[in-house]
Amino acid sequence: MGINYYNGRVCLNVLGGSLDNARDIYEAAEHHVEVGVLTANYPDVPSAVEDMNKYMDVLEGNLSVGLGGGNPNQWRAVAEVAKSIKANHFNQAFCAVGWTRANVGNDECHINAMVAPSGTPGLVKISTGPISKDCPEPALVPVDTCIAMVKEMGGNSLKFFPMGGLKVADELKAVAEGCARQNFILEPTGGISLDNFEEIMHIILDAGVEKVIPHVYSSIIDKETGCTRIEDVKAFLSMVKQLV
């Protein structure tokens, strides 16, 4: 059925702490959400596939197959899961987008490409893989060129991570402007909370980005249960409705 953007523009992405939590999130967000389940939480791919099938049923396919804290060492697990699970949304390191697209075997499933702040507005770090992330000279690429490369690999969006909330606001603005120019989806990730969500979204939407998938993780997870707080999901959806 594809990603269900509110008003055609914004879809939330939050983590599901359990099957029941995922079901509650899906209803609270009025289905305008991709619920993340992390491959890092499973000992192997078969156990991940078995469990994710249950989430696929509850979420009507609106599952976001995650790495786990942006850990690029999980790229292979995500790519292998894609052979069996045709989720609406996959998170992937830049280097493995093409591998994942080939494994998923269709053009419909959404695959993002994880890129990082570079320190220079207009440039993004694409060396986000398990080996390349530690290179002393990172690969810094103009946003427009990066988007062209992601398109060539079969990717659908840039996952800009880690942002640290508003710490790289000037870089976020430049990335958003590039996505607007190229009619590309943007997924801001890292340090987003109820306090800074509106400002972050204004930067992106004011730049003209047509579709946005903001990832909101740790700031709305109950530390005792490990589940995403449903009242916070409702609060974010309320803000989305005011923004778009």
Side-chain angles (χ1 to χ4, degrees):
M1 106 178 170
I3 293 175
N4 186 20
Y5 295 93
Y6 179 78
N7 206 18
R9 296 201 72 185
V10 178
C11 180
L12 297 171
N13 189 303
V14 304
L15 293 177
S18 68
L19 201 59
D20 286 340
N21 188 220
R23 182 186 291 110
D24 292 343
I25 289 167
Y26 190 51
E27 293 307 315
E30 299 175 11
H31 300 183
H32 301 293
V33 66
E34 297 296 317
V35 181
V37 176
L38 309 177
T39 57
N41 290 344
Y42 298 92
D44 51 44
V45 169
S47 60
V49 168
E50 180 181 2
D51 204 36
M52 287 182 185
N53 267 316
K54 301 172 186 175
Y55 282 88
M56 286 287 285
D57 289 339
V58 165
L59 298 169
E60 300 178 311
N62 289 287
L63 169 68
S64 176
V65 179
L67 296 162
N71 181 2
N73 291 308
Q74 292 297 120
W75 76 263
R76 184 69 176 261
V78 169
E80 290 300 311
V81 164
K83 291 180 178 178
S84 303
I85 301 292
K86 309 307 176 184
N88 273 351
H89 189 275
F90 289 86
N91 298 270
Q92 193 52 281
F94 182 91
C95 61
V97 170
W99 192 309
T100 309
R101 177 59 70 197
N103 279 359
V104 81
N106 65 46
D107 292 328
E108 286 72 47
C109 296
H110 178 106
I111 303 170
N112 67 32
M114 186 170 66
V115 300
S118 66
T120 303
L123 298 179
V124 292
K125 177 183 175 182
I126 65 171
S127 47
T128 60
I131 301 172
S132 61
K133 70 180 176 64
D134 294 323
C135 288
E137 295 186 17
L140 308 184
V141 176
V143 175
D144 293 79
T145 305
C146 173
I147 291 171
M149 295 172 73
V150 173
K151 288 179 178 179
E152 289 171 341
M153 294 188 292
N156 303 101
S157 66
L158 296 187
K159 179 178 180 177
F160 191 52
F161 169 85
M163 294 191 337
L166 285 159
K167 289 181 180 177
V168 291
D170 54 345
E171 291 191 58
L172 174 63
K173 182 175 183 290
V175 170
E177 289 168 348
C179 287
R181 284 192 298 271
Q182 302 300 328
N183 191 28
F184 211 56
I185 299 166
L186 178 56
E187 305 191 35
T189 312
I192 301 177
S193 68
L194 285 164
D195 294 330
N196 62 26
F197 180 76
E198 287 192 62
E199 188 172 351
I200 287 169
M201 290 299 292
H202 269 301
I203 291 171
I204 297 168
L205 295 170
D206 290 351
V209 179
E210 291 194 8
K211 295 184 186 299
V212 189
I213 305 174
H215 293 233
V216 190
Y217 293 159
S218 58
S219 71
I220 61 171
I221 292 176
D222 186 292
K223 299 301 184 287
E224 292 185 7
T225 65
C227 290
T228 291
R229 292 188 293 268
I230 301 305
E231 63 272 20
D232 288 350
V233 174
K234 292 178 180 178
F236 276 108
L237 180 63
S238 178
M239 283 191 280
V240 167
K241 289 181 176 181
Q242 293 175 357
L243 286 163
V244 298

